[in-house]
Amino acid sequence: MRAFVFPGQGSQKVGMGTDLAAASAAAREVFEEVNDALGQDLAKIMAEGPEETLTLTENAQPAIMANAMAVLRVLGREFGVSLAEKGEYVAGHSLGEYTALCAARSFSVADTARLLKLRGQAMQAAVPVGVGAMCALLGADIDKAAKLAEAAATDPATGAKEVCTVANDNDPTQVVLSGHAAAIDRAIAMVKDFEIKRGVRLPVSAPFHCPLMGPAAEAMDKALTATPPGVPILPVFANVTAQPVADPEQIHRLLVEQVTGRVRWRESAIGMGEVGVTHFVELGGKVLGPMIKRSFPDATVTSVVSMEEIEALAKEL
């Protein structure tokens, strides 16, 4: 069995999609659809930058989706590869869950672009810059990370509780915390007390996947009511449950919960393995493959970005 998976924020880089667009009209078509939907030349920002503009959450999220969907469109249009015929499940990391749903035709490319633009804006607006932060814990399993987060949430000077929680359970060696900046700094300072190798503050502009994102969750609830998901052609493994879902109302609810909830990527990789998935194909990035292998060592993982890699995958499928 095979699952197609889609990367999340952080996988963007200037130049993304440029070679594919030059090689394929199908890829260019996706970028044009996204440009039209957003009323901006996102493809130019993807191709030329500047990096700080591409990295803005409201640009990075639709850009990463567009890049992955361009790869999928080329696979389908030029090599006759059908997701429904070649896969059993889809999944994506954070914003990648929207890409997965787009790939499974629960949303159109245009609607996905608009939803992700709004999601990026709402997440940025939810917390003033500097109030929140995130950090990656290297050499940490989920139990150590959860205990550290609980300890760091308390300000020792005042005894006041701040937000510090697990945002991403990526694999058995990497967990990301999110919350108030002071609490995240405390967590980084305390890593050795919890036998964690290292804590690294992440270069993000907002504390994603924690309760501070409440206003963004409300905004996405309204947006998804106005643009409801359809029935996907393949079930999606949801971030917040690490379980497959295909019911549109449930998909809506879980996408809202995902804004403030934990991305259970490690559990999702293991869960897909438990239902029989042996092959994972990452489209549009090379980030999730290594995480999946660390969580599920017996998995076969293929990451596909370039035209050469698309051609090789098409032959393999």
Side-chain angles (χ1 to χ4, degrees):
M1 290 173 73
R2 186 180 291 107
F4 287 87
V5 299
F6 300 88
Q9 202 156 338
S11 58
Q12 75 278 354
K13 62 178 182 179
V14 174
M16 64 193 297
T18 306
D19 291 345
L20 199 57
S24 167
R28 291 195 296 276
E29 185 180 89
V30 172
F31 297 138
E32 284 163 14
E33 285 174 32
V34 171
N35 281 355
D36 290 345
L38 299 181
Q40 74 174 118
D41 195 346
L42 185 64
K44 186 176 183 190
I45 296 170
M46 291 165 66
E48 301 174 13
E51 189 175 348
E52 57 270 22
T53 304
L54 178 61
T55 305
L56 284 172
T57 303
E58 65 178 79
N59 292 329
Q61 294 198 20
I64 292 162
M65 179 277 297
N67 194 49
M69 288 305 299
V71 172
L72 181 62
R73 185 79 60 89
V74 172
L75 260 175
R77 190 73 59 78
E78 301 193 14
F79 298 94
V81 173
S82 160
L83 207 72
E85 290 174 10
K86 300 298 183 181
E88 277 74 32
Y89 296 96
V90 292
H93 190 284
S94 189
L95 82 90
E97 190 165 347
Y98 284 81
T99 316
L101 286 162
C102 182
R105 299 182 202 161
S106 190
F107 295 116
S108 68
V109 168
D111 283 343
T112 310
R114 284 188 286 263
L115 284 167
L116 286 173
K117 181 84 171 176
L118 175 69
R119 184 176 180 267
Q121 290 170 335
M123 286 176 137
Q124 188 60 68
V127 181
V129 174
V131 170
M134 299 179 77
C135 71
L137 303 177
L138 309 177
D141 61 27
I142 189 64
D143 293 333
K144 289 177 182 176
K147 285 172 184 166
L148 170 60
E150 189 180 351
T154 303
D155 182 344
T158 64
K161 281 279 188 184
E162 292 187 310
V163 172
C164 187
T165 190
V166 172
N168 303 344
D169 178 10
N170 285 334
D171 66 44
T173 69
Q174 189 198 99
V175 178
V176 174
L177 302 186
S178 182
H180 284 109
I184 294 300
D185 288 341
R186 284 195 294 273
I188 293 169
M190 294 162 68
V191 289
K192 299 294 185 194
D193 299 341
F194 291 81
E195 300 176 339
I196 294 168
K197 193 185 295 179
R198 218 165 110 217
V200 181
R201 192 159 169 165
L202 296 176
V204 294
S205 53
F208 307 132
H209 299 293
C210 81
L212 295 175
M213 288 283 110
E218 290 175 22
M220 291 315 298
D221 192 13
K222 286 180 188 167
L224 290 162
T225 299
T227 307
V231 178
I233 59 170
L234 295 176
V236 59
F237 257 76
N239 282 181
V240 296
T241 61
Q243 295 289 325
V245 60
D247 174 68
E249 285 186 21
Q250 243 186 317
I251 289 168
H252 174 151
R253 179 175 57 80
L254 293 172
L255 287 175
V256 173
E257 288 181 20
Q258 189 227 63
V259 179
T260 57
R262 181 185 303 180
V263 175
R264 298 177 181 270
W265 190 252
R266 175 184 60 85
E267 293 172 72
S268 294
I270 293 167
M272 284 184 270
E274 286 173 347
V275 297
V277 174
T278 54
H279 288 67
F280 293 81
V281 179
E282 179 181 4
L283 298 182
K286 303 197 174 190
V287 179
L288 301 180
M291 292 181 191
I292 291 168
K293 285 292 282 183
R294 287 191 287 268
S295 302
F296 176 23
D298 292 337
T300 300
V301 177
T302 308
S303 296
V304 181
V305 177
S306 68
M307 183 59 92
E308 293 74 23
E309 289 162 346
I310 293 171
E311 287 175 11
L313 174 65
K315 285 175 189 167
E316 183 188 308
L317 296 176

